């Protein structure tokens, strides 16, 4: 077994996903199979190989530090599930 | 011949001669969509009103003699491109009511060119899938056989071109999502070099792999549409600031002096015999056109799928963290606090495949596993990229199948995610390497399903693959066949 049910539950919490029992069972089996498959990468010797984050080599992309026009309050809030004044409204965080 | 049968360049000729108006062409497409989309399900949103308004504006521009190659041409976009005022869902329940407050680069450039945007196309949710069955808006059907998948994730974009529901479309390709559906639907699809086209306003899946590209009826249209969207964009820091060549000018001529490489790892057991036969036929045509055929090797091919499903899922888990029910998208709030709201909103909004990839990616990045999975995959990515650079010392273009099989049946692979992932084995390595590749029709099975040919080019070698594809296309007539819908 590459991964067990308890570990899948832990990962679901990290990923902020409230999964039900059925989903957790299915994912345990599927992730186990997929992780078993990707294990073949271990057959390759990658000592001294530099990891690739981006395929096209690039330096930092700089631009002048200038203020640009943003979306504005109205547009920024137009898709908000809940808003109040110029703010996004969220459930209470602090008791 | 109907207006909807014309390519972009054919319709353009008639528009500039004022033999037909953009409004007429747009109406013809809207009628076609109304007639067939119940069976295909290529569109998530049709914007008839907006399209007709844009067509009227295009007609004014054409009447003034100011029309360019795309002015007045009815196109459609995968529903991953944000479009101001037009709902953009990414085929997910979590974005089912999202109305973007701005245009991304693709929509902005096409509008600037005077194109007409008919609507937004179905896809696998968040571009995760190879069959277009992972859509919150239902599966797309293949116009060549309604029992088959169109491929994915840009399945709606491919099917709409094949079923004459748009003159051409844009898709995105992270591991084959333009090329594989193009192959399964018998159209031309190009994944440009990473950085060639801006990703600004493309809803992110795996940021180091995602790339925007055209899906068209023929190679000339592909060149024209690429021309319109290629180029540096300050709003995408990974877009590359190198000059954009004249892609259409690159077309024409034979293949004398072109070295076409056959990677031996791509002609293996498990390759469907119909696919193999069609691709072998294409090699013969290229040889007759003057190409020099050479054998090359991409020795790390067998590791590409494993590498991809770590790199892509890791990036996805990070990108999709933004869907938290706060600023936009679905919110499920049962009054149990912020964390509970995050977890229930995401659980209710994402489909099974998206959850699976977020879980895999989160695991690959999690404490204690990062080095073994994510970092290891990035090192393997270096080896895969090197394979391509070495192969391109011997060859100018690599010729391969696009997929090991033709379009498979609806529901055939949904039970086994790993089998579905393996259907992308010939397209994934190109994304990892960051190179460009094009898919075009090279034959049909006895039952009438299209077979796709993949031509892979060097980074920023779009001109070479377009020219090679064009020479092949002009020598064959696969692209003239029309889906029986």
């Amino acid at each position: 077994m590459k991964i067990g049910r308890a570990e899948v539950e832990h990962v679901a919490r990290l990923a902020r996903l409230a999964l039900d029992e059925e989903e957790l069972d299915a994912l345990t089996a599927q992730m186990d199979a997929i992780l078993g498959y990707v294990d073949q990468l271990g057959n390759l010797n990658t000592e001294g190989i530099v990891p690739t984050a981006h395929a096209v080599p690039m330096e930092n992309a700089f631009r002048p530090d200038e203020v640009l026009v943003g979306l504005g309050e109205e547009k920024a809030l137009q898709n908000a599930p809940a808003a109040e004044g110029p703010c996004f409204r969220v459930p209470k965080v602090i008791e | 011949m109907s207006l909807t049968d014309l390519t972009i360049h054919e319709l353009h000729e008639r528009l500039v001669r004022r033999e037909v108006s953009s409004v007429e062409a747009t109406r013809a497409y809207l009628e076609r969509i109304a007639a067939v989309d119940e069976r295909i399900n290529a569109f998530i949103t049709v914007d008839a009103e907006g399209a007709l308004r844009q067509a009227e504006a295009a007609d004014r521009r054409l009447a003034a003699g100011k029309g360019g190659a795309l002015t007045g041409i009815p196109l459609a976009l995968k529903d991953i491109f944000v479009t101001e005022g037009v709902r953009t869902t990414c085929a997910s329940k979590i974005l089912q009511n999202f109305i973007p407050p701005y245009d991304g680069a693709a929509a902005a450039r096409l509008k600037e060119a005077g194109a007409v945007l008919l609507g937004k196309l179905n896809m696998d949710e968040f571009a995760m899938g190879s069959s277009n069955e992972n859509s919150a808006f239902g599966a797309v059907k293949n116009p060549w056989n309604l029992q088959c998948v169109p491929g994915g994730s840009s399945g709606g974009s491919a099917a709409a071109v094949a079923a004459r529901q748009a003159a051409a479309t844009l898709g995105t390709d992270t591991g084959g999502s333009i090329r594989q559906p193009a192959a399964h639907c018998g159209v031309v699809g190009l994944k440009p070099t990473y950085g060639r086209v801006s990703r600004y306003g493309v809803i992110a899946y795996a940021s180091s792999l995602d790339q925007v590209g055209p899906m068209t009826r023929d190679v000339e249209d592909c060149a024209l549409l690429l021309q319109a969207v290629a180029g540096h964009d300050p709003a995408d820091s990974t877009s590359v600031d190198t000059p954009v060549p004249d892609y259409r000018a690159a077309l024409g001529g034979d293949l004398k002096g072109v070295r076409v490489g056959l990677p031996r790892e791509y002609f293996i057991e498990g390759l469907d015999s119909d696919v193999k036969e069609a691709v072998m036929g294409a090699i013969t045509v290229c040889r007759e056109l003057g190409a020099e055929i050479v054998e090359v090797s991409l020795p790390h091919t067998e590791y590409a799928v494993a590498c991809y499903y770590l790199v892509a899922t890791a990036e996805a888990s990070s990108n999709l963290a933004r869907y938290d029910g706060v600023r936009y998208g679905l919110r499920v709030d049962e009054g149990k606090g912020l964390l509970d709201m995050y977890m229930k909103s995401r659980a209710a909004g994402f489909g099974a495949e998206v959850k699976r990839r977020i879980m895999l990616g989160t695991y690959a990045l999690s404490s204690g596993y990062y080095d073994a999975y994510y970092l290891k995959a990035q090192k393997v990515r270096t080896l895969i990229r090197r394979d391509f650079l070495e192969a391109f010392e011997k060859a100018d273009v690599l010729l391969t199948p696009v997929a090991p099989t033709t379009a498979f049946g609806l529901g055939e692979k949904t039970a086994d995610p790993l089998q579905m992932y393996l259907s992308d084995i010939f397209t994934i390595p190109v994304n990892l390497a960051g190179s460009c590749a094009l898919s075009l029709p090279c034959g049909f099975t006895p039952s009438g399903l299209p077979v796709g040919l993949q031509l892979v080019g060097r980074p920023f070698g779009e001109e070479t693959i377009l020219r090679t594809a064009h020479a092949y296309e002009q020598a064959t007539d696969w692209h003239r066949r029309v889906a029986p819908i």
Side-chain angles (χ1 to χ4, degrees):
Chain A
M1 285 280 281
K2 298 298 301 175
I3 189 166
R5 166 76 185 236
E7 209 165 6
V8 171
E9 285 178 33
H10 170 66
V11 174
R13 276 192 297 276
L14 292 176
R16 301 288 185 258
L17 287 168
L19 301 177
D20 61 30
E21 296 297 310
E22 210 176 304
E23 285 178 307
L24 288 166
D25 284 339
L27 275 167
T28 305
Q30 289 163 348
M31 287 176 71
D32 191 57
I34 295 165
L35 292 171
Y37 176 78
V38 303
D39 240 17
Q40 61 175 296
L41 297 185
N43 301 340
L44 281 172
N45 180 3
T46 50
E47 216 181 292
I49 302 290
V50 179
T52 295
H54 267 87
V56 178
M58 52 182 98
E59 301 291 317
N60 282 337
F62 291 111
R63 63 170 175 78
D65 186 16
E66 287 164 1
V67 178
L68 303 173
V69 181
L71 282 178
E73 256 170 46
E74 196 188 326
K75 282 188 170 181
L77 290 170
Q78 79 181 29
N79 284 287
E84 197 174 307
C87 299
F88 296 102
R89 214 189 131 112
V90 294
K92 194 158 91 176
V93 183
I94 304 161
E95 289 301 322
Chain B
M1 191 184 211
S2 159
L3 281 176
T4 55
D5 285 325
L6 301 173
T7 62
I8 293 178
H9 54 94
E10 288 164 351
L11 180 56
H12 170 74
E13 290 302 317
R14 296 186 192 203
L15 286 170
V16 293
R17 288 201 301 261
R18 305 308 289 150
E19 292 169 17
V20 61
S21 71
S22 176
V23 168
E24 286 170 297
T26 301
R27 281 194 203 285
Y29 275 109
L30 291 171
E31 280 163 24
R32 177 71 182 161
I33 294 165
V36 301
D37 207 45
E38 207 173 305
R39 282 170 285 160
I40 305 287
N41 199 28
F43 279 82
I44 289 177
T45 303
V46 177
D47 181 20
E49 207 179 296
L52 287 167
R53 209 168 43 235
Q54 291 161 16
E56 282 167 16
D59 279 329
R60 286 193 292 276
R61 194 161 157 181
L62 287 157
K66 289 178 184 159
L70 296 182
T71 309
I73 307 287
L75 305 175
L77 300 177
K78 184 178 184 178
D79 209 17
I80 198 168
F81 295 98
V82 303
T83 43
E84 185 173 3
V86 178
R87 181 173 74 139
T88 301
T89 69
C90 227
S92 181
K93 207 174 148 190
I94 213 159
L95 285 175
Q96 63 185 351
N97 298 313
F98 179 64
I99 313 278
Y102 71 103
D103 270 330
R109 288 192 184 197
L110 293 181
K111 283 181 184 173
E112 209 173 290
V116 172
L117 301 182
L118 295 164
K120 308 298 292 291
L121 297 158
N122 207 341
M123 54 185 281
D124 283 299
E125 182 181 3
F126 284 103
M128 299 179 188
S130 310
S131 68
N132 216 123
E133 291 167 294
N134 302 331
S135 167
F137 296 83
V140 176
K141 315 288 167 36
N142 190 313
W144 295 91
N145 180 337
L146 298 175
Q147 308 304 315
C148 289
V149 303
S153 68
S154 310
S157 298
V161 174
R164 307 306 199 229
Q165 295 172 276
T169 61
L170 285 184
T172 59
D173 189 315
T174 305
S177 281
I178 286 175
R179 292 160 286 156
Q180 185 253 25
H184 288 351
C185 291
V187 304
V188 178
L190 171 67
K191 184 206 90 75
T193 307
Y194 184 82
R196 180 73 290 181
V197 181
S198 171
R199 293 182 297 110
Y200 178 59
V202 177
I203 295 173
Y205 159 24
S207 302
S208 80
L209 302 164
D210 296 344
Q211 191 53 202
V212 173
M215 305 182 76
T216 60
R217 308 266 174 85
D218 68 8
V219 175
E220 187 171 345
D221 278 4
C222 188
L224 290 171
L225 197 46
L226 176 64
Q227 196 78 48
V229 293
H232 180 245
D233 177 4
D236 172 4
S237 62
T238 61
S239 78
V240 177
D241 197 3
T242 55
V244 179
D246 183 340
Y247 293 116
R248 196 194 214 168
L251 308 181
D254 56 24
L255 296 179
K256 283 202 182 70
V258 177
R259 297 171 303 167
V260 173
L262 308 180
R264 74 171 71 96
E265 293 80 5
Y266 283 53
F267 295 88
I268 42 156
E269 260 178 76
L271 184 60
D272 184 276
S273 61
D274 290 330
V275 173
K276 189 172 180 186
E277 198 178 313
V279 172
M280 290 301 176
I283 296 168
T284 306
V285 172
C286 289
R287 191 181 279 121
E288 285 165 5
L289 289 166
E292 182 195 340
I293 308 293
V294 296
E295 191 182 87
V296 297
S297 175
L298 300 168
H300 297 95
T301 299
E302 62 177 302
Y303 299 100
V305 173
C307 177
Y308 174 84
Y309 277 95
L310 291 169
V311 171
T313 58
E315 293 183 13
S317 73
S318 170
N319 272 325
L320 272 62
R322 74 189 68 185
Y323 302 98
D324 56 7
V326 173
R327 291 154 302 155
Y328 44 75
L330 182 76
R331 173 185 290 195
V332 177
D333 183 4
E334 296 174 353
K336 293 180 193 158
L338 190 63
L339 180 62
D340 187 75
M341 188 271 279
Y342 290 155
M343 295 191 62
K344 289 194 175 132
S345 298
R346 291 164 62 77
F350 292 136
E353 181 61 29
V354 175
K355 287 178 184 168
R356 192 150 45 232
R357 294 197 196 188
I358 290 174
M359 289 288 288
L360 269 171
T362 304
Y363 179 74
L365 291 175
S366 66
S367 173
Y369 296 103
Y370 180 90
D371 285 4
Y373 288 110
Y374 186 60
L375 190 65
K376 180 77 181 183
Q378 285 194 314
K379 289 179 177 175
V380 174
R381 185 174 180 184
T382 303
L383 299 175
I384 290 167
R385 184 163 170 264
R386 271 187 204 166
D387 283 354
F388 278 88
L389 296 177
E390 278 166 27
F392 283 122
E393 284 172 14
K394 288 189 194 162
D396 303 304
V397 179
L398 307 182
L399 182 155
T400 81
V402 177
T405 67
T406 52
F408 43 90
L410 286 157
E412 201 179 306
K413 295 191 183 183
T414 42
D416 187 347
L418 195 53
Q419 279 312 306
M420 187 74 93
Y421 297 173
L422 287 168
S423 65
D424 296 331
I425 185 163
F426 299 146
T427 48
I428 276 175
V430 181
N431 299 77
L432 291 168
S435 246
C436 58
L438 181 150
S439 165
L440 82 165
C442 71
F444 284 82
T445 66
S447 64
L449 286 171
V451 181
L453 177 71
Q454 177 170 246
L455 299 170
V456 187
R458 293 188 179 91
F460 299 96
E462 281 83 1
E463 288 169 282
T464 309
I465 53 174
L466 283 164
R467 186 160 71 91
T468 306
H470 188 253
Y472 172 78
E473 181 191 71
Q474 296 309 301
T476 57
D477 58 4
W478 309 116
H479 63 295
R480 294 189 204 286
R481 289 211 197 172
V482 181
I485 175 91

